[in-house]
Amino acid sequence: MRISLIQMNVSFGQPEENWQRVKERVAQTMAESRPDVVALPEMWNTAYDLPRFESIADRGDLRRKLAELAREHGITLMAGSIGEQDDTGCYNASYIFASDGSELARYRKLHLFRLMGEEKVLKPGGDGRVLFPVGEGRGGVIICYDLRFPEMVRSLALDGAQCLFVPAQWPHPRLNHWRVLNQARAIENQMVVVAVNRVGSDPNNTFCGHSMVIDPWGNILAEAAEGEEILTVDLDLSEVEQVRRKIPVFEDRIPGQYRN
Ligand SMILES: NC(=O)CCC(=O)C(=O)O
């Protein structure tokens, strides 16, 4: 399975400009690398323009365009996350589309990040255990701050996820946390981690990039710097089972002895 991560800048509160950027980058990626899966960062349509969220968040149009983009290029599109709203409220939501344009999964961010004011505007999603087919295996998704909740990723691994996607807008000065937490989630759950951060700045933060792909042994297979970049990696998800056989963490768990 060949996967490309699009690490890009995001224009603050400019959904149309950001959509054009995504379309161009996906076309460029297809021309250069022909991946099976393309992954995008967090909330790339609106950015964290939360005061204007209700006037710029998607009401369904962007979702339809993303489905069409996946179909046009024949890729699984892990569309990062987008700012969206419906009659129930505003959300930071991840969508995954199959190569025929069908929607494979939707996950609405569960843990809202107070340092960036998410809880003032967004509602938390209800279901943190979203899985979907990816290549020959199964993928799971969390969004940015969720990375700090190891129990969430463990649940996904127990449900069968072999590959974890982490779309993010993770800023400085916490680059160290971003790198270590992604590696920790890969090692402790013996799974592939595909973490896609944005770059550039908004009025409050400078984002640290360093998108990365980590194998189930914890090796960083590819890591971007702090500018716009496309990372492409060939992944073999069967390595997950090999690592899980070598150190049988999942067999050796003693769930009755831990607090849930
Ligand atoms: N967009 C986010 O959820 C940011 C999370 C973050 O920066 C953190 O340190 O956690």
Side-chain angles (χ1 to χ4, degrees):
M1 176 174 79
R2 176 167 293 181
I3 180 158
S4 291
L5 291 66
I6 300 186
Q7 173 170 295
M8 62 181 208
N9 194 0
V10 175
S11 301
F12 193 66
Q14 300 297 328
E16 182 52 31
E17 197 178 318
N18 291 323
W19 162 240
Q20 294 304 329
R21 185 180 280 123
V22 162
K23 259 199 322 185
E24 278 167 28
R25 298 296 189 283
V26 171
Q28 178 193 344
T29 307
M30 293 312 293
E32 287 171 2
S33 321
R34 295 216 59 76
D36 307 298
V37 181
V38 172
L40 302 175
E42 181 186 15
M43 218 142 80
W44 54 263
N45 58 333
T46 54
Y48 273 85
D49 191 354
L50 295 171
R52 290 178 59 240
F53 201 83
E54 281 184 24
S55 59
I56 56 176
D58 183 49
R59 287 184 177 275
D61 268 10
L62 179 57
R63 228 181 321 145
R64 281 186 284 279
K65 288 192 230 172
L66 288 165
E68 177 51 26
L69 191 68
R71 199 197 58 73
E72 180 192 334
H73 291 291
I75 48 170
T76 298
L77 181 60
M78 196 292 142
S81 78
I82 57 172
E84 70 167 8
Q85 59 190 315
D86 63 20
D87 295 343
T88 64
C90 296
Y91 302 91
N92 180 345
S94 254
Y95 284 91
I96 299 96
F97 298 97
S99 55
D100 64 0
S102 58
E103 187 180 304
L104 291 174
R106 179 190 77 183
Y107 161 64
R108 286 173 160 170
K109 189 176 186 178
L110 208 47
H111 303 101
L112 301 178
F113 191 52
R114 293 172 208 247
L115 256 66
M116 285 159 70
E118 279 190 314
E119 84 293 353
K120 296 196 184 90
V121 174
L122 306 181
K123 283 190 167 173
D127 183 5
R129 296 169 69 175
V130 176
L131 282 104
F132 49 90
V134 61
E136 299 294 304
R138 295 183 88 194
V141 57
I142 62 172
I143 302 176
C144 205
Y145 180 48
D146 290 331
L147 189 59
R148 293 186 183 271
F149 298 83
E151 47 285 65
M152 186 177 178
V153 183
R154 175 51 55 95
S155 299
L156 289 167
L158 288 171
D159 286 347
Q162 296 150 319
C163 179
L164 178 74
F165 289 86
V166 191
Q169 292 212 25
W170 194 289
H172 285 295
R174 298 183 296 281
L175 171 58
N176 180 35
H177 294 192
W178 165 254
R179 296 187 75 253
V180 172
L181 290 172
N182 275 308
Q183 269 185 291
R185 299 294 89 87
I187 294 169
E188 72 198 356
N189 295 294
Q190 302 172 306
M191 70 200 317
V192 171
V193 171
V194 175
V196 193
N197 198 12
R198 65 161 287 189
V199 293
S201 298
D202 72 10
N204 301 307
N205 289 292
T206 297
F207 297 92
C208 55
H210 285 264
S211 297
M212 54 177 92
V213 181
I214 306 164
D215 77 11
W217 195 248
N219 298 310
I220 297 176
L221 301 178
E223 179 171 0
E226 297 197 15
E228 291 204 321
E229 200 172 323
I230 297 169
L231 292 180
T232 297
V233 174
D234 289 318
L235 284 174
D236 177 3
L237 291 186
S238 68
E239 279 177 18
V240 169
E241 302 317 319
Q242 286 166 30
V243 172
R244 289 180 183 176
R245 273 197 298 274
K246 193 171 172 122
I247 305 184
V249 167
F250 286 89
E251 280 174 40
D252 292 343
R253 292 174 70 243
I254 311 171
Q257 295 297 321
Y258 317 130
R259 189 158 173 208
N260 285 317

